[in-house]
């Protein structure tokens, strides 16, 4: 496994984050390029999901059960970390193509 793939697994991989990845995938499945939203609100997050999102966004973990995500910020963080080019690419690398 490459270093980038290992980082991605640590950030978003594993069964505990499967529900979060599915929610994020639905964000992309519901959109066309013309209607792409730049932010996403997620609620009812588990502690593991909040921690993973805090790592992705660079924010300190909080106890709030919801979070507003700036997709461009996450894309930039993944690129800066040398993991991949975007959140969408990360999700596809972990779980296959988004249709």
């Amino acid at each position: 496994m490459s270093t980038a793939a290992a980082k991605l697994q640590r950030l978003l991989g594993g069964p505990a984050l499967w529900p979060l990845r599915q929610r994020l995938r639905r964000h992309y499945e519901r959109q066309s390029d013309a209607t792409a939203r730049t932010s996403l609100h997620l609620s009812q997050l588990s502690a593991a999901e909040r921690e993973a999102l805090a790592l992705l966004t660079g924010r300190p973990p909080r106890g709030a059960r919801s979070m507003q995500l700036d997709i461009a910020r996450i894309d930039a963080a993944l690129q800066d970390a040398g993991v991949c080019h975007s959140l969408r690419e990360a999700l596809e690398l972990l779980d296959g193509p988004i249709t």
Side-chain angles (χ1 to χ4, degrees):
M1 182 180 289
S2 73
T3 303
K7 282 183 188 178
L8 182 56
Q9 276 297 324
R10 284 192 306 273
L11 283 171
L12 277 176
L17 295 177
W18 169 256
L20 174 63
R21 292 194 312 271
Q22 292 305 299
R23 291 171 72 185
L24 293 170
R25 289 175 70 85
R26 280 192 296 276
H27 165 75
Y28 290 105
E29 290 168 348
R30 289 186 296 228
Q31 297 182 40
S32 68
D33 288 339
T35 63
R37 293 184 316 196
T38 59
S39 67
L40 174 64
H41 181 82
L42 295 173
S43 60
Q44 310 230 353
L45 296 166
S46 70
E49 291 170 337
R50 289 191 307 270
E51 183 177 334
L53 291 171
L55 287 171
L56 282 174
T57 60
R59 295 185 213 164
R62 299 185 343 204
R65 300 227 350 125
S66 66
M67 185 179 278
Q68 186 76 23
L69 302 177
D70 180 335
I71 302 298
R73 185 174 177 181
I74 293 174
D75 290 349
L78 290 167
Q79 289 174 29
D80 291 346
V83 174
C84 60
H85 292 96
S86 68
L87 177 58
R88 182 183 182 117
E89 182 183 354
L91 296 169
E92 290 181 331
L93 288 169
L94 290 166
D95 298 315
I98 295 173
T99 56

